[in-house]
Amino acid sequence: MNVLVIGSGAREHALCRSLSLDPAVTALYCAPGNAGIAEVAELHPVDALDGEAVSALAVELGAELVIVGPEAPLVAGVADAVREAGIPVFGPSKEAAELEGSKAFAKDVMAAAGVPTSRSYVCTTPEEAAEALDAFGAPYVVKDDGLAAGKGVVVTDDLATATAHAAACMAVPPTPSRQGGSVVIEEFLDGPEVSLFAVTDGVSVVPLQPAQDFKRALDGDEGPNTGGMGAYSPLPWADPKLVEEVLETVLQPTVDELRRRGTPFSGLLYAGLAITSRGIRVIEFNARFGDPETQVVLARLKTPLAEVLKAAATGDLADLPPLRWSDDAAVTVVIASHNYPGTPRTGDPITGLAEVAAVDAPHAYVLHAGTKYDGDTVVSAGGRVLSVTATGTDLTEARERAYRAVARIGLDGSQHRTDIAAKAATGA
């Protein structure tokens, strides 16, 4: 199978790494990719938001499966263009991807499907936002209605901060990937958060193993929200029936509702969940693999990845044998640039990559996010630069291996959290 992956982050590196280990994959391409992905896939330049360019590249390469990694191309309709070229594609249509592209749309789908979620208001004026904030009280949860790279949510006890974020969200002008002019204000959900991915062909739904990510920039869940600073799987504290319950009450009803609307969802459905005192509640849906959770989930998947994604793309998921999983634990620690999640500093040389590959493999390895080559030197090229991923017999061993590898990496001014999976590993 010739496979083309679209994207350039650590999520795409994790996908490419798994695909490169799949004996069914005879040729692997990535566009545009990054310095790390270049080690396992042949890179090609492309504008990932240009559906015609992506489909033309897929045709040129003889791709038999295209995997669209990031959310922005999906919301822009890139998967539709590839399907129109007659190539199987893993990723939802533009209409179905609105499940992530618009939180207001997602709330409407959940209401129709009877999916448990937080109460919310969609606001388009300062007056409506003020009323919603007053109705729910602190802590205030204010969400950009459109795509914001995981940084569009503010949770705060400060009314002025919440009001300012709401105003900023409503002031964002419309773009091809979002309507603009609105903000979603929700009630606060207590309890731990869980990320659960599911592969679907629009009818059948196959859940993957749950993971937990760390959104805040600093240890102890302090600091601003980010795209994610680390993740781990499995969740030793979670109810053994969690996946089955989420499949029955969240994932399958959502897929059924989208099909009923004539916008079937085929691809990766990501449910961000809160395990509250009143039961499971959906925080948000995403229309693609999450980053950094993908890094730990795929580290544990034993079933060859290509056959799973191809089955979803071709409507054959019901015929897929049950997925096989490693009993090992996996931990990912994100190394980010100076000033992330603000405007990051880029162009700094990265050292220690060869040492990790020589000393820590196969139990620990580095997945590239924001990197590129400057001559023969790998340099930083984004906010989140690397995802250091490790496996072990339990979370304690996986953590030790991950942080041992992190310590070998040199990147001036970089930052990372030191407490990824710490509480879960100790049972605290």
Side-chain angles (χ1 to χ4, degrees):
M1 191 189 310
N2 290 0
V3 181
L4 170 62
V5 177
I6 302 301
S8 60
R11 163 187 46 227
E12 287 74 38
H13 194 176
L15 288 164
C16 286
R17 179 182 182 274
S18 291
L19 291 165
S20 73
L21 299 173
D22 187 337
V25 176
T26 50
L28 179 59
Y29 309 101
C30 186
N34 63 39
I37 296 174
E39 297 176 5
V40 295
E42 181 179 299
L43 302 191
H44 290 266
V46 79
D47 178 353
L49 297 175
D50 186 337
E52 290 187 7
V54 171
S55 59
L57 177 61
V59 170
E60 176 190 335
L61 295 174
E64 297 161 280
L65 174 65
V66 175
I67 301 163
V68 183
E71 60 272 26
L74 292 169
V75 173
V78 167
D80 300 278
V82 177
R83 283 194 185 92
E84 288 169 9
I87 300 172
V89 58
F90 184 80
S93 67
K94 178 178 181 177
E95 288 184 313
E98 276 297 283
L99 201 62
E100 177 170 5
S102 169
K103 292 178 177 61
F105 175 75
K107 288 290 187 181
D108 184 66
V109 170
M110 283 188 271
V115 170
T117 187
S118 58
R119 293 179 298 130
S120 64
Y121 294 102
V122 180
C123 307
T124 57
T125 67
E127 292 76 19
E128 290 177 350
E131 289 180 13
L133 292 168
D134 182 63
F136 288 134
Y140 305 103
V141 181
V142 185
K143 296 183 176 182
D144 193 319
D145 185 30
L147 298 180
K151 292 174 280 188
V153 180
V154 163
V155 180
T156 179
D157 289 321
D158 183 68
L159 179 58
T161 300
T163 302
H165 186 61
C169 292
M170 291 185 288
V172 174
T175 70
S177 63
R178 57 167 293 156
Q179 296 178 5
S182 59
V183 64
V184 177
I185 296 174
E186 299 182 353
E187 68 173 328
F188 176 76
L189 296 175
D190 65 330
E193 295 185 11
V194 173
S195 299
L196 184 61
F197 302 159
V199 175
T200 177
D201 57 10
V203 178
S204 299
V205 182
V206 176
L208 306 186
Q209 288 292 301
Q212 186 175 59
D213 78 332
F214 294 75
K215 288 293 187 189
R216 300 282 189 168
L218 307 177
D219 284 4
D221 292 326
E222 300 289 336
N225 266 347
T226 71
M229 294 299 290
Y232 69 93
S233 178
L235 312 182
W237 49 267
D239 188 324
K241 297 181 179 179
L242 173 66
V243 173
E244 181 182 345
E245 182 179 350
V246 175
L247 176 62
E248 293 178 357
T249 63
V250 174
L251 299 170
Q252 192 70 57
T254 300
V255 169
D256 292 344
E257 172 61 20
L258 286 167
R259 188 175 68 254
R260 186 191 68 78
R261 293 178 178 220
T263 56
F265 188 105
S266 171
L268 196 289
L269 179 58
Y270 166 145
L273 310 164
I275 313 302
T276 77
S277 55
R278 295 172 292 149
I280 294 170
R281 296 290 185 271
V282 175
I283 302 170
E284 64 177 356
F285 282 124
N286 290 332
R288 40 71 194 180
F289 280 101
D291 183 343
E293 300 98 319
T294 300
Q295 289 87 303
V296 292
V297 173
L298 292 187
R300 300 184 58 226
L301 179 65
K302 296 176 70 173
T303 301
L305 183 61
E307 68 174 287
V308 179
L309 305 190
K310 182 71 174 290
T314 56
D316 299 323
L317 208 52
D319 299 326
L320 190 74
L323 300 182
R324 295 179 293 111
W325 295 94
S326 167
D327 291 331
D328 282 356
V331 171
T332 283
V333 180
V334 171
I335 297 177
S337 292
H338 174 75
N339 199 45
Y340 178 79
T343 302
R345 192 175 79 202
T346 60
D348 289 311
I350 301 168
T351 61
L353 298 174
E355 187 179 357
V356 173
V359 178
D360 299 295
H363 300 299
Y365 48 88
V366 179
L367 299 168
H368 292 230
T371 68
K372 66 178 183 180
Y373 274 106
D374 182 0
D376 294 330
T377 303
V378 178
V379 300
S380 60
R384 291 186 295 175
V385 181
L386 304 168
S387 285
V388 180
T389 302
T391 56
T393 54
D394 55 22
L395 287 173
T396 297
E397 185 175 48
R399 286 190 81 248
E400 290 171 352
R401 287 172 169 172
Y403 280 107
R404 192 180 304 136
V406 167
R408 302 189 203 280
I409 304 295
L411 174 61
D412 187 47
S414 67
Q415 55 177 312
H416 66 271
R417 285 185 56 161
T418 65
D419 62 348
I420 304 300
K423 289 183 178 179
T426 60

